[in-house]
Amino acid sequence: MAEDITTIEIEDMITVGTLAERLSIPVSRLIGELMKNGVMATVNERIDFDTAEIIVEELQLGVQLSKSTVDASAPAVRVKAEASAGAPSRPPVVAVMGHVDHGKTSLLDAIRGAHVVDREAGGITQHISAYQVEHGDRKITFLDTPGHEAFAAIREHGALLTDIVIIVVAADDGIKPQTIEAIRFARKAGVKIIVAANKMDKDGADINRLYSELAEQDLMWDGWKGGDTPVLPVSAKTKQGIPELLDMVILVTDVEELKADTDVPARGLIIEAHVEQGRGPVAHALVEAGTLKPGDFVVAGSSYAKIRNLETTDGKPLKQALPSTPVAITGFKTLPEFGDEFQAVPNEKAARNQSTTSANEKNVGSRNNIGSSELIRLINRNNEVQELNVIVKADVQGSLTSVIDSIKALDTTEVAVRVVSSSVGAINENDLHLAQSAGAIIYGFNIELPSSARQQAARDKVDIRLYKVIYELIDDVKTGLSGLLRPEIVEHDLGRLVVRGIFNTTKTAVICGGEVTKGKLTAPALARVTRDKEVLGEVEITGLKRGPQEAKEVFEGEMCGLSFTTTKRIDLLEGDHIEVFTREAIQRTL
Ligand code: GDP
């Protein structure tokens, strides 16, 4: 009798405890099964869907898992706060996305250059994670996501920060894979999409073609009947169309009626963190609700601060920051993490307590997720997954997360990246020691190499690779991983000989003669000796003779003498066949 299968929906990540509960089995049984599969997980640890699926199948409970319809790559992690009825309006938060080289940076620069609220103060030395511009009497916040080609980090943490996504498409190039990825991301995040048809100044720009290509992605230009996607022609180079693009952002904002309370304790998200000489940890954050002021106590993950300086992200002091304002905060005791939520608390005691609780939770492993790649690796332990050891260093937490996420995504069942260590900041002595002892390559993203470290690395033969473009870094890791793949062995048949005479046979060598019946024979080459299709052994052809002359090649229809060496004795008979081939090891790529 066929067993009834029950389907249970689970999220992309689930704790061991919750999964056991959903399956109605004792948690110990689930932990036991995980262990059998080489996954050491405690009740509070989270496992991913793929791992859960494998384990549940092994348990044979008549249960199958399906992914919850709440898409986990959508921002399910955080829920946008509801504002109270009388809450004031807030500026929109806009992210700019699109295919590489389509002009995201140029567009963000153009908008910022022309409209930035304050340009003098501070001098921009650090990467700007977000900035606010004034357009008429309105403000707009732009997220300039670190390494903004890589959506990984913002996808996970920042999606709900964003109200509007501007998808930049070069009008002379049209929709490309990352454009589609950006559209998909914006859809999942449930945000409004505005398309900026960039590079309109170029000869090949064709906005009509773009309308059609967008329609293929279910984005109907609002100039068409029934369409609802604004497509604005712009040029980041000539600045043509930028005021109209910002007008559209304001228009969409007004339709969306974005509001946030200002009289609640301030809270928001850390969007970047780095250490600055003389200033200590500096966190960039986006205020989502409440009013943040210098002197406030804030907790972010396991770190807390009494805000020493509250500034715009380009260094202008702020007396207060209202919702949708990007700010730079100094005063944190330790470096908060990209994606940490921050919250204002009444006093230092509350700040200390809350940050300690958070640190403890972290230690019991609430963030200690076991990914499917980990499982794949464990399951394959007999098969020996080849690992590429790397140390990752980056300028800011956001890029670090992006780089790690992106390179971990390259893992396969055969090869995997092992991040031996990762941190924000310049490459230091510790990194070099670790790289040497772990045989790791150091990847630096957007960082400089101090000359002392360069010298030490040269002395210790540590491989350091610095990148400013994330894709180039990923490609390099990919090449490294490809190098670890076992090569593919390809055989090329050359020709065949039928044995007509045996001249000399020892245990390890044979000299014979025969007729080439197919193709050509060469020496040196490999060959199989066969009798009635049965393989007697694999041998190495060492020499060929046409008559008394040594020959490199003999062709179909010719008679020749042939000598080969063999590792096991072959008693060759007339009529046996010798099938000659070469074997090539082809390096595979990922
Ligand atoms: P990103 O990779 O999407 O950030 O693209 P960039 O902003 O770095 O731009 C890629 C290239 O396109 C650069 O060489 C820019 O100078 C050029 N570019 C960007 N916008 C325009 C534009 O509106 N017109 C022209 N002609 N070139 C542009």
Side-chain angles (χ1 to χ4, degrees):
M1 197 183 75
E3 205 181 341
D4 281 344
I5 301 277
T6 315
T7 303
I8 294 180
E9 275 198 0
I10 65 162
E11 300 78 48
D12 236 10
M13 301 292 304
I14 189 166
T15 65
V16 172
T18 314
L19 181 60
E21 205 174 295
R22 301 250 183 103
L23 295 169
S24 307
I25 57 167
V27 73
S28 54
R29 183 164 168 211
L30 185 58
I31 291 176
E33 192 62 40
L34 281 161
M35 271 184 183
K36 259 198 250 164
N37 283 281
V39 181
M40 303 301 155
T42 61
V43 60
N44 288 325
E45 260 165 341
R46 302 204 301 161
I47 55 174
D48 69 4
F49 181 87
D50 296 338
T51 309
E53 197 174 34
I54 294 169
I55 298 300
V56 168
E57 204 180 303
E58 305 244 304
L59 282 166
Q60 297 185 342
L61 301 167
V63 170
Q64 68 177 23
L65 297 181
S66 78
K67 264 192 202 171
S68 154
T69 40
V70 182
D71 192 325
S73 57
V77 220
R78 309 178 68 239
V79 180
K80 215 171 210 164
E82 287 289 318
S84 66
S89 303
R90 62 171 178 84
V93 178
V94 182
V96 174
M97 296 182 166
H99 197 72
V100 64
D101 276 350
H102 277 197
K104 298 178 294 294
T105 314
S106 307
L107 192 65
L108 278 161
D109 285 352
I111 294 171
R112 183 177 152 77
H115 295 264
V116 73
V117 180
D118 177 74
R119 295 175 65 196
E120 292 117 82
I124 304 141
T125 47
Q126 286 292 334
H127 170 86
I128 303 296
S129 53
Y131 60 82
Q132 204 166 50
V133 298
E134 271 170 8
H135 183 58
D137 58 352
R138 304 286 294 270
K139 288 181 171 158
I140 305 173
T141 300
F142 281 91
L143 287 182
D144 190 354
T145 46
H148 33 93
E149 306 94 326
F151 302 143
I154 188 175
R155 178 183 287 148
E156 205 179 318
H157 303 287
L160 272 176
L161 287 177
T162 312
D163 304 301
I164 297 169
V165 168
I166 295 181
I167 303 214
V168 180
V169 193
D172 62 335
D173 201 21
I175 290 196
K176 289 279 168 283
Q178 286 163 287
T179 322
I180 297 174
E181 192 186 8
I183 294 171
R184 209 175 289 150
F185 162 74
R187 278 223 183 90
K188 278 181 186 164
V191 299
K192 281 297 295 184
I193 295 177
I194 297 175
V195 177
N198 191 32
K199 306 199 185 182
M200 284 306 288
D201 60 289
K202 288 181 83 172
D203 280 347
D206 183 350
I207 200 161
N208 288 313
R209 189 189 59 191
L210 184 57
Y211 295 147
S212 324
E213 289 185 2
L214 287 166
E216 284 168 29
Q217 304 300 324
D218 281 332
L219 289 181
M220 297 294 166
W221 173 45
D222 62 2
W224 283 342
K225 198 161 168 273
D228 64 354
T229 305
V231 182
L232 281 294
V234 301
S235 164
K237 190 175 172 192
T238 66
K239 318 275 193 289
Q240 170 211 342
I242 289 181
E244 290 79 3
L245 178 67
L246 299 181
D247 285 344
M248 182 54 75
V249 170
I250 296 294
L251 195 70
V252 170
T253 306
D254 289 342
V255 175
E256 298 284 298
E257 292 190 347
L258 305 171
K259 290 172 184 303
D261 289 301
T262 50
D263 53 0
V264 295
R267 58 184 171 69
L269 207 70
I270 302 292
I271 51 177
E272 202 153 286
H274 57 266
V275 178
E276 264 175 46
Q277 210 159 18
R279 278 162 55 98
V282 179
H284 287 189
L286 189 81
V287 180
E288 289 180 280
T291 306
L292 198 64
K293 297 199 177 88
D296 282 354
F297 286 98
V298 287
V299 178
S302 52
S303 183
Y304 77 93
K306 177 174 187 191
I307 300 182
R308 199 165 56 226
N309 301 298
L310 183 69
E311 298 168 348
T312 61
T313 45
D314 54 359
K316 184 190 171 203
L318 287 170
K319 288 203 175 67
Q320 61 169 33
L322 292 169
S324 297
T325 312
V327 293
I329 299 172
T330 62
F332 275 102
K333 306 286 172 213
T334 54
L335 203 61
E337 280 182 30
F338 176 86
D340 277 342
E341 288 183 50
F342 79 81
Q343 198 168 19
V345 291
N347 50 43
E348 177 144 22
K349 192 169 170 216
R352 207 179 312 121
N353 287 346
Q354 211 163 311
S355 57
T356 314
T357 314
S358 173
N360 289 342
E361 273 172 12
K362 203 159 150 182
N363 289 342
V364 299
S366 61
R367 293 188 185 198
N368 192 0
N369 305 327
I370 293 170
S372 53
S373 58
E374 190 73 13
L375 182 62
I376 287 169
R377 191 173 315 153
L378 290 161
I379 285 177
N380 276 273
R381 58 192 182 284
N382 298 331
N383 239 334
E384 280 295 293
V385 174
Q386 298 294 319
E387 286 182 328
L388 183 72
N389 289 346
V390 300
I391 292 172
V392 186
K393 302 285 293 189
D395 53 343
V396 290
Q397 193 65 38
S399 3
L400 188 68
T401 315
S402 294
V403 169
I404 294 173
D405 285 354
S406 308
I407 61 176
K408 290 300 292 173
L410 299 173
D411 285 1
T412 73
T413 50
E414 288 177 69
V415 288
V417 176
R418 190 159 81 90
V419 180
V420 178
S421 121
S422 65
S423 56
V424 167
I427 294 168
N428 56 37
E429 225 173 281
N430 277 347
D431 300 321
L432 294 169
H433 284 316
L434 189 59
Q436 209 184 11
S437 58
I441 300 170
I442 301 181
Y443 281 98
F445 182 64
N446 259 340
I447 55 169
E448 305 293 333
L449 183 62
S451 61
S452 57
R454 187 187 304 274
Q455 283 160 10
Q456 193 187 333
R459 201 172 50 235
D460 298 346
K461 300 200 171 53
V462 173
D463 192 353
I464 298 179
R465 302 181 191 180
L466 303 179
Y467 286 93
K468 294 218 177 294
V469 178
I470 197 161
Y471 287 117
E472 290 174 4
L473 189 156
I474 295 168
D475 277 349
D476 191 78
V477 175
K478 208 167 172 179
T479 310
L481 279 176
S482 296
L484 297 179
L485 287 171
R486 274 181 291 276
E488 186 183 355
I489 306 296
V490 179
E491 288 185 2
H492 305 283
D493 288 335
L494 292 180
R496 172 196 276 241
L497 170 129
V498 57
V499 177
R500 296 286 183 226
I502 294 107
F503 309 129
N504 192 4
T505 303
T506 69
K507 205 172 156 204
T508 56
V510 175
I511 303 172
C512 64
E515 184 188 346
V516 183
T517 55
K518 198 173 151 199
K520 67 169 184 185
L521 308 194
T522 63
L526 298 169
R528 267 181 216 100
V529 181
T530 62
R531 183 173 301 155
D532 303 327
K533 300 223 166 95
E534 192 197 334
V535 178
L536 302 181
E538 198 176 294
V539 301
E540 246 185 276
I541 311 278
T542 47
L544 287 174
K545 276 189 171 168
R546 189 184 284 113
Q549 299 290 332
E550 294 279 341
K552 279 209 169 81
E553 298 178 326
V554 274
F555 297 90
E556 187 171 331
E558 289 186 287
M559 299 293 288
C560 68
L562 179 152
S563 41
F564 63 78
T565 56
T566 169
T567 47
K568 67 168 194 185
R569 189 182 179 93
I570 293 178
D571 289 315
L572 201 65
L573 298 178
E574 273 181 42
D576 286 347
H577 286 105
I578 297 180
E579 294 169 4
V580 183
F581 64 93
T582 55
R583 192 177 275 147
E584 191 187 2
I586 296 180
Q587 186 56 52
R588 288 183 295 149
T589 50
L590 282 181

